[in-house]
Amino acid sequence: MTGDNRNRRQRIKAVADAIEAVFKKGVHLTGDVLHYLESTHAIVHPEELLGALLPPFDCDSESICEMVFYPDESQQAFLEPVLEKNPIEDEQEKKVLADMIAARKIGAAIYFPSADRPCRLSIPDAAVHRYIQRINADRRMDPRILEAIGLAIQSPETAAAVKVKLRNARFDFEDYRVASICAFLDGIEENSPDFMDLFVLLCRILETMSADADLFSALMETKHKCLEMIRQAEKTETDLKQNPVEVLMMRGETIAAIDAAQVRTQIDYIDRVALALFGRTGALPTTGQNQGPSVNLGVFRKKGDDLDRLIKIFS
């Protein structure tokens, strides 16, 4: 075996060992998974899960395993330092990794919140291969972002969480996205309220942001869309007070069904990011409101320029 092949094998084995450790720690079923199992397959107890997964496997069995062994972000955060140190290079290495884990015939304890004891399942090969695909093991982080994370974030847990969000993000690391991420990390303290929620918002905006748009414009466009959603929801609420829903549907009216509180929270997050990075935000009042410029002073830059920013905001 050549040195390159030996190093490659060692890298892949290190990741396989870490994934095996995740499975051996056990799988704690989340609320979403429990809801899916109960509503779709009438599974509420461990013995019912075991019964549903008796061979031969069918489409239902596959979908159940897919949900049970779906990698959550806590598992990915545990794997992140290993993947960073032992990068998986391509699809071929991902297949070698999956085959290596499948060959170990790993069993996992599955924990139901309502049960005293877990049940144990052997992880099917197909579930292992899907797990490897979903942890995005071959996604490479831009070194400029890694440097910015190292400079801006002291907590290893927060750093791992940020890297997992970026590993799962559905965008490439083009220069304008890298610049936006680095600006966020430089401009918003890791201990700021809702730091991870603000970072999730940024990632969502970057997924749809075009290369010819600047981040401030993308933030304001998203804010405008949020306000339009609230406006439409307010219109729907008014229309429903005057007509039954069937009448509105016959007219072809749009029936807006949103959580207005959540959308307003998103608007607040947009303002906070815009103020922290640019010292300003756009004033886009909703229908029927006459409001001044939106100002939220909850997030400050870390370079000691708070007074300068306040002067800009109120000038």
Side-chain angles (χ1 to χ4, degrees):
M1 182 181 294
T2 66
D4 286 346
N5 286 336
R6 186 180 299 108
N7 291 337
R8 177 174 179 262
R9 184 80 177 177
Q10 289 173 345
R11 277 193 295 104
I12 296 173
K13 181 180 181 301
V15 178
D17 291 345
I19 293 173
E20 181 176 1
V22 167
F23 288 143
K24 286 187 173 179
K25 286 168 62 178
V27 176
H28 294 262
L29 300 182
T30 64
D32 288 342
V33 175
L34 290 167
H35 175 74
Y36 168 80
L37 293 176
E38 181 176 359
S39 61
T40 307
H41 302 284
I43 295 172
V44 294
H45 301 295
E47 57 270 19
E48 293 169 340
L49 177 62
L50 290 173
L53 296 179
L54 291 173
F57 265 33
D58 55 17
C59 292
D60 284 346
S61 304
E62 292 287 345
S63 65
I64 291 170
C65 284
E66 189 169 346
M67 290 296 294
V68 169
F69 296 108
Y70 197 102
D72 62 30
E73 290 189 354
S74 65
Q75 294 174 358
Q76 288 188 271
F78 175 83
L79 296 172
E80 186 59 36
V82 181
L83 287 170
E84 190 174 337
K85 187 176 179 180
N86 303 276
I88 301 300
E89 300 290 350
D90 49 34
E91 287 292 331
Q92 182 181 5
E93 290 195 358
K94 284 163 65 175
K95 184 179 185 307
V96 172
L97 172 63
D99 290 342
M100 185 182 292
I101 296 171
R104 299 181 183 187
K105 301 300 179 185
I106 302 168
I110 311 299
Y111 292 87
F112 282 72
S114 60
D116 295 332
R117 298 180 180 177
C119 61
R120 293 197 65 84
L121 291 178
S122 294
I123 306 173
D125 292 358
V128 172
H129 281 263
R130 281 194 293 270
Y131 188 95
I132 300 304
Q133 289 294 331
R134 287 187 169 132
I135 63 173
N136 302 304
D138 59 339
R139 180 162 164 86
R140 303 299 296 273
M141 212 74 66
D142 188 285
R144 291 168 292 180
I145 294 176
L146 291 176
E147 181 181 4
I149 291 173
L151 292 172
I153 298 179
Q154 301 301 313
S155 164
E157 293 77 16
T158 303
V162 167
K163 291 173 184 176
V164 167
K165 293 294 185 186
L166 291 172
R167 188 175 290 276
N168 293 338
R170 295 187 295 270
F171 56 73
D172 295 326
F173 292 118
E174 295 98 340
D175 286 346
Y176 70 97
R177 289 192 173 108
V178 170
S180 297
I181 293 167
C182 291
F184 178 97
L185 294 169
D186 179 64
I188 298 183
E189 294 277 6
E190 65 174 294
N191 295 321
S192 297
D194 310 307
F195 174 85
M196 285 307 304
D197 289 329
L198 296 175
F199 190 72
V200 168
L201 168 71
L202 175 74
C203 288
R204 288 175 180 166
I205 289 175
L206 292 179
E207 285 180 354
T208 58
M209 181 175 161
S210 60
D212 59 349
D214 62 274
L215 180 58
F216 183 81
S217 298
L219 286 165
M220 292 306 103
E221 181 180 355
T222 304
K223 180 177 178 178
H224 177 76
K225 290 177 180 178
C226 288
L227 288 165
E228 179 60 25
M229 290 169 63
I230 292 176
R231 187 199 66 78
Q232 185 61 52
E234 291 172 345
K235 179 178 182 301
T236 296
E237 184 179 357
T238 300
D239 291 344
L240 286 173
K241 290 178 181 178
Q242 300 172 353
N243 298 284
V245 65
E246 294 81 5
V247 172
L248 299 181
M249 293 176 66
M250 290 179 63
R251 292 178 181 173
E253 298 279 353
T254 300
I255 308 297
I258 64 166
D259 186 330
Q262 286 187 355
V263 177
R264 288 190 174 94
T265 297
Q266 290 299 299
I267 293 172
D268 177 62
Y269 288 169
I270 290 168
D271 284 341
R272 289 167 63 184
V273 172
L275 287 164
L277 271 60
F278 304 101
R280 62 191 176 95
T281 186
L284 295 169
T286 55
T287 300
Q289 293 180 330
N290 182 20
Q291 63 183 38
S294 176
V295 175
N296 184 314
L297 303 180
V299 178
F300 287 101
R301 296 181 65 86
K302 64 183 70 172
K303 302 302 184 184
D305 58 349
D306 294 350
L307 180 59
D308 291 340
R309 289 184 57 252
L310 285 172
I311 292 171
K312 289 181 182 177
I313 290 170
F314 292 109
S315 60

